[in-house]
Amino acid sequence: MRIRIVGAGAMGRGIAQWAAVAGHTVELCDVQTEAVTAAVDFVGSMLERAVQKGRMSAEDSAAALERLVPLDDPWAPGPEVELVVEAVREDLDTKAEVFGKLEQALPESTVFATNTSSLSVTRIAASLRDPGRLAGLHFFNPVPLMKIVEVVPGAATRPGIPPVLTALVESCGHRAVTVADTPGFLVNHAGRGLVTEALALLEESVADPAGIDRIARDVLGLRMGPFELMDLTGLDVTAAVIDSIWQGFRHEDRLRPSFLTPNRVTAGLHGRKTGQGWFAYGPDAPAPAPEPPVTGDAGRPVFVAGEEGDALRGELTADGATVESGTVPSEGALVLVPVWGTTVAAAVASLGLPAARTFGVDPLPSAGRRRVLAVTPSSDPSAARDARAVLARSADGTEPFAVSVVRDTAGSVAQRLLASVVSVAASIAERSLAAPADIDLAVTTGLGYPVGPLAWGDRVGAARVLELQRSLHATTGDPRHRPTRWLTERAQLGLPLTQAGTSPDACA
């Protein structure tokens, strides 16, 4: 296939490298000819590096570079061009102008694709004489390494075009997911579940950014915590995406932005690229503060209360803790309450527990060796230090647990992050914006989650996740925690969240 790529910036040159290596002839062009020269040099250096690392042969590298054709005029006639991929700046008028000129220069049979990440494909196509020839083809940076592409048909896109684009993507070694033309498409939309809830936790002073990130990594198994991720992406970019998706979905509660971000963006606290975001960067940046050492009495007796207590009771006993077995705690014993979607304060009130020495423990299974202890305004600091020491201890010869101390909140940190990730993905599935399998594929490939959000919900159990979200909703009254119909129905029917279900059309 002969492909013309318009725009020789980071995305354009990445797409050019990807297509040329896959065997396609690629015309690379830009309104600035020096950008094309720089892009070709860059692709050459990337191919040379791949040869040095043994990822491709010198012959294949040379052949790929030969297939990369610099083009001086983006609007030059191209009777053999079968596909155009536009990768210019994110501006509707600019993209419409580019496609208008291409429509005059190229055959009617040439398929048009836009790499937009935030604009409506339908609105871009509307400026064309034939809007049916255009679809979205959204790559992620760096293109050769991010092996996922969103295929986005606009409202007028001809039905035959998305399958052609999907076949092209997959023949070149990437995975393709078909996504509705909605704000954020799929990956950016699904990613809001993590960062919006992390910001909500910070708003409520449940933990600081470093503390939330530790829990996200060590309990949920994420590669990066949400605040590290925002610093890497750029808070200016993240905040703009959050706002645009929230506005595009008519102020959907579960996508609600935080009041914390506008002032930070205005102050230039964008993350790595500015040297300061949620964390400091650069050679002169102070080292991250270590977690405080464990100083309490690990031998103090503990009483585990509540319906969720059996598993924790067994774990602590195996780790050598002194666990009481009576029906009420002894005088002076620490009281640990595993809470699922509710608060320690509610457990103190409903079970008549001693407030000063009662603490919450997150029962969510940890992906690493970290436990989470929740304290209330009534907590005695000395008792809290002892509770942290008890949770940190482990059996002889094994590494002690790290213990995060957080403010009491419904569901604690990890539960709320997980509930939000699953909820946003279920909302995408409920609206039929993408198929369940494509949602999980896109998120694991595009965001690096350890498992897709719907499959993650199935690991926990749909009924269990529904219980969590109902408890969060009832405890907080916040509509952001309202369970989706997708989750509720599947929990009630005993179906996995990854199952699409029966369409009415199939029963006609």
Side-chain angles (χ1 to χ4, degrees), residues 401-444:
F401 285 89
V403 181
S404 296
V405 180
V406 301
R407 179 180 178 181
D408 182 30
T409 184
S412 197
V413 173
Q415 291 174 36
R416 281 181 53 175
L417 293 177
L418 176 59
S420 182
V421 166
V422 174
S423 182
V424 171
S427 177
I428 292 171
E430 184 175 286
R431 290 183 167 102
S432 299
L433 306 185
D438 283 350
I439 295 170
D440 279 358
L441 172 64
V443 170
T444 53

Side-chain angles (χ1 to χ4, degrees), residues 106-351:
L106 299 177
E108 293 181 0
S109 59
T110 303
V111 173
F112 288 172
T114 172
N115 183 53
T116 182
S117 60
S118 61
L119 300 175
S120 165
V121 172
T122 301
R123 291 186 65 189
I124 296 171
S127 63
L128 297 174
R129 293 194 302 270
D130 177 13
R133 71 193 298 184
L134 186 142
L137 199 58
H138 180 212
F139 293 82
F140 294 84
N141 193 34
V143 174
L145 299 180
M146 297 293 287
K147 296 183 178 296
I148 189 74
V149 182
E150 295 176 328
V151 177
V152 189
T157 303
R158 285 194 287 274
I161 288 179
V164 169
L165 295 177
T166 296
L168 168 68
V169 168
E170 298 194 339
S171 71
C172 295
H174 278 29
R175 302 293 298 274
V177 292
T178 301
V179 187
D181 182 20
T182 53
F185 303 144
L186 175 50
V187 173
N188 282 331
H189 185 173
R192 296 319 93 201
L194 178 68
V195 295
T196 54
E197 195 62 34
L199 288 165
L201 287 162
L202 184 61
E203 283 183 8
E204 298 167 30
S205 301
V206 175
D208 64 11
I212 294 171
D213 278 359
R214 290 188 192 107
I215 294 169
R217 290 191 306 265
D218 297 346
V219 177
L220 296 179
L222 297 171
R223 292 181 193 171
M224 300 181 72
F227 293 96
E228 291 176 296
L229 181 61
M230 283 186 268
D231 275 359
L232 178 64
T233 304
L235 186 59
D236 54 334
V237 175
T238 298
V241 170
I242 291 173
D243 286 347
S244 67
I245 293 176
W246 179 63
Q247 291 164 6
F249 282 98
R250 299 299 187 263
H251 300 174
E252 164 66 47
D253 287 303
R254 71 184 85 249
L255 301 172
R256 188 171 66 235
S258 169
F259 69 79
L260 294 173
T261 56
N263 281 351
R264 298 186 72 87
V265 171
T266 301
L269 303 175
H270 298 170
R272 290 178 182 269
K273 61 188 176 185
T274 59
Q276 179 70 53
W278 299 108
F279 309 107
Y281 301 90
D284 299 326
E291 292 187 81
V294 176
T295 59
D297 178 10
R300 186 167 174 176
V302 295
F303 177 85
V304 180
E307 297 178 358
E308 298 276 349
D310 288 347
L312 178 63
R313 195 176 294 111
E315 290 175 16
L316 294 179
T317 299
D319 289 332
T322 303
V323 182
E324 297 184 347
S325 57
T327 57
V328 294
S330 65
E331 189 70 28
L334 301 170
V335 181
L336 300 180
V337 185
V339 287
W340 188 251
T342 57
T343 63
V344 182
V348 168
S350 63
L351 300 177

Side-chain angles (χ1 to χ4, degrees), residues 29-44:
C29 51
D30 195 288
V31 291
Q32 299 179 352
T33 54
E34 61 271 19
V36 178
T37 302
V40 172
D41 290 343
F42 176 84
V43 172

Side-chain angles (χ1 to χ4, degrees), residues 348-386:
V348 168
S350 63
L351 300 177
L353 300 172
R357 49 192 171 95
T358 298
F359 306 93
V361 179
D362 190 344
L364 193 68
S366 178
R369 293 188 64 81
R370 180 174 293 277
R371 288 168 171 159
V372 181
L373 179 74
V375 298
T376 72
S378 293
S379 295
D380 174 68
S382 177
R385 288 191 290 271
D386 291 346

Side-chain angles (χ1 to χ4, degrees), residues 50-70:
V51 172
Q52 293 170 352
K53 292 186 176 182
R55 294 175 180 166
M56 68 187 308
S57 68
E59 293 77 11
D60 288 343
S61 172
L65 201 55
E66 262 188 51
R67 290 190 289 269
L68 184 56
V69 181

